[in-house]
Amino acid sequence: MKSLSRRKLIKFGITGGLVGAFTTKGSMAKALLPPTPAETEGPFYPVTPQDDKDFDLTRVQGRDGVAKGKYIIVMGSVLDSHGQPVSQATVEIWQANAKGRYRHPRDPNPAPLDPNFQGWAIVLTDENGEFRFKTVMPGSYPASPTWVRPPHIHFKVSKKGYAELTTQMYFPGEALNETDLLLNQKKPSERLLMIAKKRGPSETEALDVYEHAIVLKQKS
C-alpha cells in the first residue's frame, strides 16, 4: 500500500499536525499524522439486535418506507500514523435520527422514533482504507436542561494491530459546536480533526457529501 498523496491529506484536513512531513519533492517523510481524538461512547450505544447493518441507513431491511430527513453521504478514510490506508478495518457507526432520537430503549428524548431509519451500521474499509455510507443529517438533542448536543455521528473503529478508537464526527458550520461541552474539552487543533469537511453535492445522487479521515494508533 502506498502513502496517501499530499493533496488527499489536505482534502481531509489533517496536514496541520504534520511538521516537516513532506520533502521538497512532495513525498511523505517520517513525521507522524496526529491520531484522531478519542471521545466518550455515550449512553446510546446500540443494544437492540438487528440484522441490517449495511452502508445505507436510510432504509431498513424488510420495510418499504424510507427514513425522514435530509439525506447525506459520508465518505471516510482510515489511516495509520504514517498515512498508510488501513484496509479491512471494522467501522461501526451509530447516530440519532433527523429529530435527534436514538433507536435506544433508554433514550429519554420525547422526539419521535423513525421506524425506517437504520440508525446503526457496521462496515469494512476497502483496500484503500475507505468507506462510504448514506444516512440522514442527525438532529440535535438535549443532553441536559442547559446543554444541547450538536449533530454528530459516533464511530468505533478497530483492526488487529491497532488500538481500538471510539470517537465522534461533527459537522462544519453548526452553531451548537461552539457550545458543546464535549467538543470544547478538546484543544483547537483536536477539534479540527473531529469536524468533517463538506464536499458535494454527490454527482450520482445530488446529496451533500461529508469527508472525514480517522487516524488509528498502532499497538507497540
Side-chain angles (χ1 to χ4, degrees):
M1 293 185 294
K2 296 181 178 179
S3 298
L4 292 184
S5 67
R6 186 176 191 277
R7 180 177 297 177
K8 192 163 188 178
L9 290 170
I10 290 173
K11 179 181 76 170
F12 283 115
I14 58 177
T15 55
L18 294 171
V19 180
F22 297 97
T23 67
T24 55
K25 295 182 179 180
S27 60
M28 181 70 79
K30 292 183 178 180
L32 301 180
L33 293 174
T36 299
E39 188 52 274
T40 176
E41 185 177 277
F44 305 127
Y45 179 80
V47 296
T48 304
Q50 65 184 54
D51 293 329
D52 190 5
K53 302 187 187 78
D54 64 7
F55 293 83
D56 188 352
L57 280 73
T58 67
R59 292 179 177 272
V60 174
Q61 184 178 343
R63 293 182 177 272
D64 294 329
V66 295
K68 297 177 181 178
K70 179 183 178 182
Y71 291 4
I72 62 173
I73 300 293
V74 176
M75 299 185 68
S77 182
V78 179
L79 313 171
D80 68 16
S81 58
H82 299 282
Q84 300 279 5
V86 180
S87 64
Q88 297 299 294
T90 299
V91 180
E92 189 171 356
I93 53 175
W94 66 100
Q95 64 167 91
N97 66 23
K99 296 294 185 180
R101 177 78 180 269
Y102 286 87
R103 291 183 63 183
H104 193 285
R106 292 192 296 274
D107 186 355
N109 190 349
L113 284 168
D114 185 345
N116 297 310
F117 180 57
Q118 185 175 300
W120 178 27
I122 301 177
V123 302
L124 293 175
T125 58
D126 64 16
E127 63 180 6
N128 297 312
E130 296 177 345
F131 63 90
R132 176 186 186 276
F133 61 91
K134 181 179 180 180
T135 187
V136 300
M137 175 65 76
S140 58
Y141 60 87
S144 76
T146 58
W147 175 23
V148 178
R149 294 232 59 206
H152 61 278
I153 296 177
H154 297 262
F155 285 84
K156 183 182 286 187
V157 186
S158 60
K159 174 70 184 283
K160 185 177 181 179
Y162 297 85
E164 182 178 83
L165 173 70
T166 299
T167 188
Q168 295 179 27
M169 184 194 87
Y170 298 84
F171 292 85
E174 293 288 338
L176 289 171
N177 288 351
E178 303 301 319
T179 56
D180 187 65
L181 298 185
L182 292 179
L183 184 58
N184 283 280
Q185 286 179 348
K186 309 296 183 185
K187 299 176 183 178
S189 59
E190 292 177 321
R191 291 176 216 158
L192 292 176
L193 301 177
M194 301 178 76
I195 299 175
K197 304 295 180 182
K198 185 177 181 180
R199 315 292 182 190
S202 165
E203 294 181 359
T204 56
E205 299 180 84
L207 304 178
D208 286 341
V209 175
Y210 292 89
E211 293 176 336
H212 189 56
I214 295 173
V215 178
L216 298 181
K217 290 181 180 179
Q218 290 175 280
K219 291 183 177 179
S220 55

